[in-house]
């Protein structure tokens, strides 16, 4: 079996994210995670919320690690990763009650972020919820100097990366019928933004 990849930050932020997901996904059943990364979050959240069926997904290069976590977990409410590059992926329409994604919007290019929102709009049933964890700018401002530094580092690493303006994400969301309903502050100067899908026409 492949080694289970481990990210210290994902272990650290799991508990505060879980607290919010328990509230937001309380009446959900089917969840799609976009960009499952190491697979740690998926296993921690599916184990803690056994009313959910948790569908992992990511770029193919991360599948072996996610599978290792899923296989090792011994829990049966989690599914091995779907092949998912949001830039050209197709999803089954209207079948998910909730979508979760963590630390993806500042890694993907802005065009891919827009596509991620379009995908979420397709995947969710009306009334479904999208929770996105990560650092954001609000009102054109970073919430801390450390996030401004982080943004500069990201852009140096790759010009397409960078911390996103929550207002820009709201534009992408509104274009597919998603309305932001909450914006939680969580430790490490991050937030969880929550959008709800309206009726599909
Ligand atoms: C910083 S990692 C976050 C991983 C995990 N969600 C976490 O919080 O630990 C960013 C993730 O976004 C994924 N990603 C980047 N570009 C993507 C794309 N175009 N489509 C889908 N996933 C993508 C990466 O493969 C990676 O898993």
């Amino acid at each position: 079996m492949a080694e289970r990849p481990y990210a210290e930050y994902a272990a650290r932020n799991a508990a505060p994210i879980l607290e919010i997901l328990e509230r937001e996904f309380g009446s959900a059943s089917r969840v799609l995670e976009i960009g499952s990364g190491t697979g740690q979050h998926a296993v921690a959240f599916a184990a803690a919320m056994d009313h959910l069926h948790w569908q992992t997904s990511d770029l193919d290069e991360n599948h072996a690690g996610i599978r290792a976590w899923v296989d090792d977990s011994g829990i049966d409410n989690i599914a091995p990763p779907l092949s998912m590059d949001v830039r050209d992926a197709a999803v089954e329409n209207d079948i998910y009650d909730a979508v979760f994604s963590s630390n993806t919007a500042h890694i993907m290019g802005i065009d891919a972020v827009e596509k991620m929102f379009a995908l979420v709009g397709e995947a969710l049933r009306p009334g479904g919820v999208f929770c996105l964890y990560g650092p954001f700018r609000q009102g054109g401002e970073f919430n801390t100097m450390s996030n401004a530094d982080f943004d500069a580092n990201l852009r140096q690493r790759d010009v397409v990366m960078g911390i996103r303006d929550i207002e820009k994400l709201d534009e992408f969301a509104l274009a597919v019928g998603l309305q932001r309903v909450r914006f939680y502050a969580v430790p490490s100067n991050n937030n969880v933004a929550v959008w709800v899908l309206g009726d599909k026409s």
Side-chain angles (χ1 to χ4, degrees):
M1 192 191 289
E3 288 257 320
R4 293 181 311 167
Y6 180 81
E8 178 59 40
Y9 77 86
R12 234 187 357 252
N13 63 26
I17 297 173
L18 176 61
E19 206 176 301
I20 290 164
L21 296 188
E22 283 178 329
R23 214 174 304 164
E24 298 294 342
F25 293 177
S27 58
S29 176
R30 295 194 66 171
V31 179
L32 171 67
E33 180 181 18
I34 298 176
S36 297
T38 62
Q40 282 166 268
H41 276 162
V43 165
F45 300 156
M49 296 181 282
D50 60 7
H51 63 289
L52 298 178
H53 178 269
W54 194 279
Q55 176 63 64
T56 58
S57 81
D58 207 324
L59 303 177
D60 292 353
E61 65 205 41
N62 287 328
H63 285 201
I66 298 167
R67 274 178 192 282
W69 276 92
V70 170
D71 292 347
D72 195 62
S73 71
I75 55 176
D76 59 8
N77 62 327
I78 188 167
L82 296 176
S83 204
M84 174 86 73
D85 182 331
V86 295
R87 291 169 295 188
D88 56 16
V91 282
E92 282 188 83
N93 286 3
D94 299 2
I95 66 161
Y96 294 101
D97 307 300
V99 177
F100 171 70
S101 195
S102 160
N103 283 324
T104 46
H106 60 279
I107 299 297
M108 297 171 184
I110 193 73
D111 292 354
V113 176
E114 184 171 17
K115 294 237 168 82
M116 173 165 71
F117 275 88
L119 208 72
V120 171
E122 287 168 22
L124 283 178
R125 58 152 177 87
V129 179
F130 177 35
C131 288
L132 178 64
Y133 170 88
F136 302 94
R137 288 186 353 148
Q138 193 171 24
E141 306 279 348
F142 293 102
N143 57 4
T144 53
M145 265 314 292
S146 62
N147 270 347
D149 292 344
F150 180 45
D151 179 69
N153 286 339
L154 285 168
R155 288 172 196 279
Q156 212 168 28
R157 217 166 99 196
D158 187 332
V159 286
V160 308
M161 294 183 183
I163 294 182
R164 309 300 171 197
D165 288 303
I166 190 66
E167 296 85 359
K168 188 68 188 168
L169 303 189
D170 285 339
E171 273 176 37
F172 295 157
L174 267 183
V176 296
L178 287 158
Q179 182 91 41
R180 181 152 55 89
V181 290
R182 282 173 281 287
F183 195 55
Y184 296 97
V186 287
S188 305
N189 311 309
N190 285 330
N191 294 89
V192 177
V194 184
W195 292 269
V196 172
L197 189 69
D199 285 339
K200 290 188 175 183
S201 48

